[in-house]
Amino acid sequence: MSTILAIDYGLARIGLAISYVGLAEPLTIINNDVTSNEPIIGSQALAEIKQIVKAEKVDKIVLGISEQAMAKKILEFFEILQSTLIWILF
C-alpha cells in the first residue's frame, strides 16, 4: 500500500494528514515561517515537510487547492514542493 501525505497549505500554517491504508489521519500543523525572501514557504517549514516525507516513507502527496488568489499561491507552493521533493519521492 502507498503512504499518502495530504497537505492543506496556508500562509500562516500548513496542515498535514497521512494515510497508510484507507482514511487519512491528522498528522501535524506546521507554522509557515515565510519571509520577504521566501514569500510562499519558509525554509524551516519546507525542512519539516522534507523530514516527514523521509521519515514516513511517503509515496504520494495530495495537495488541497482553493480558488482565486489563494489558488495561485498554492500552485507556487506546489512548484517549490515538487522541485524540492522530486529526489526524495522517486
Side-chain angles (χ1 to χ4, degrees):
M1 287 305 228
S2 294
T3 300
I4 302 170
L5 180 67
I7 301 177
D8 184 16
Y9 172 80
L11 295 173
R13 286 175 293 288
I14 301 170
L16 302 176
I18 196 146
S19 172
Y20 302 104
V21 180
L23 295 174
E25 299 175 13
L27 184 62
T28 192
I29 297 173
I30 296 172
N31 287 322
N32 191 3
D33 57 328
V34 294
T35 65
S36 58
N37 296 334
E38 304 163 321
I40 299 298
I41 184 168
S43 57
Q44 181 62 34
L46 188 57
E48 287 183 51
I49 292 172
K50 285 171 59 175
Q51 187 275 329
I52 288 169
V53 167
K54 286 181 183 179
E56 299 294 334
K57 297 180 174 69
V58 171
D59 298 305
K60 297 177 185 174
I61 294 177
V62 176
L63 181 62
I65 191 155
S66 297
E67 297 178 356
Q68 299 176 356
M70 193 60 186
K72 184 176 187 265
K73 293 178 192 282
I74 292 170
L75 292 175
E76 289 177 48
F77 169 73
F78 168 74
E79 290 175 7
I80 293 167
L81 198 62
Q82 183 180 27
S83 66
T84 302
L85 298 178
I86 192 144
W87 305 114
I88 296 171
L89 292 171
F90 299 104

